[in-house]
Amino acid sequence: MNDANRFLDRAVELARQNVEAGGRPFGALVVRDGEVIATAVNEIHLSHDLTDHAKLLAIRAAARDHGPQVLKGSAVYASGHPCPMCLAAMRLAGVNAVTYAYSNQDAAPFGLSTADLYNELKLPFAEQSMEIRHRPLDGSPRPDLYEQWAKAQSDPE
């Protein structure tokens, strides 16, 4: 069995164990240089935090245990298609590959597909179901927030 299949099998096995524990069918691994550096399962059923997806939790564990730089060039193997939130987190973290076993099409009959969310996110903000608007703070007496951050980054303290 090649590495990709072995890692996918492990992610699916984590998901199966999570189902047996009362959770959702999602498991994930973060792999760096052929080594599993973090694993996680969807924990929404435990935390009631809707962002506790397996892929996000695996990324957080890898960064916490090995430092965020370990994610640059890593790979994520997951039981299911990443939702937009997880995919965005992987991109921001520097993950350069994601492989998943079950597609949104596989998940749709069970109410677990995120395809509709992907489709809505393609629309201009004005056409999405969530109200999204930019409102700059005019006339604030405080320094620009981003300028403040840049200055803090350059200060040696």
Side-chain angles (χ1 to χ4, degrees):
M1 175 183 301
N2 68 29
D3 283 347
N5 285 345
R6 185 168 48 89
F7 295 140
L8 279 177
D9 281 348
R10 187 159 173 204
V12 170
E13 183 55 33
L14 287 169
R16 290 183 190 285
Q17 291 170 5
N18 201 44
V19 168
E20 291 170 7
R24 299 179 80 169
F26 301 107
L29 319 171
V30 177
V31 176
R32 175 70 189 231
D33 298 326
E35 178 187 345
V36 176
I37 60 170
T39 66
V41 295
N42 183 294
E43 293 186 359
I44 292 172
H45 67 295
L46 300 174
S47 67
H48 305 289
D49 179 341
L50 297 176
T51 67
D52 275 354
H53 292 197
K55 294 156 215 72
L56 274 183
L57 293 174
I59 290 167
R60 291 174 188 159
R64 183 179 54 248
D65 296 345
H66 303 282
Q69 71 284 354
V70 77
L71 292 163
K72 297 211 181 308
S74 67
V76 171
Y77 291 85
S79 59
H81 189 288
C83 75
M85 174 182 65
C86 292
L87 190 62
M90 286 185 265
R91 286 180 177 265
L92 288 169
V95 171
N96 72 346
V98 60
T99 305
Y100 56 93
Y102 288 86
S103 69
N104 269 329
Q105 187 175 355
D106 298 326
F110 306 96
L112 297 171
S113 173
T114 56
D116 289 343
L117 183 53
Y118 272 104
N119 288 333
E120 182 165 341
L121 289 173
K122 292 177 191 176
L123 299 173
F125 285 168
E127 295 177 30
Q128 293 186 25
S129 62
M130 174 191 287
E131 183 178 323
I132 304 169
R133 65 177 167 231
H134 173 231
R135 185 177 182 146
L137 297 174
D138 294 328
S140 174
R142 301 191 67 178
D144 179 79
L145 177 62
Y146 295 144
E147 289 174 7
Q148 178 185 350
W149 175 82
K151 184 176 187 289
Q153 299 303 302
S154 63
D155 285 346
E157 297 179 280

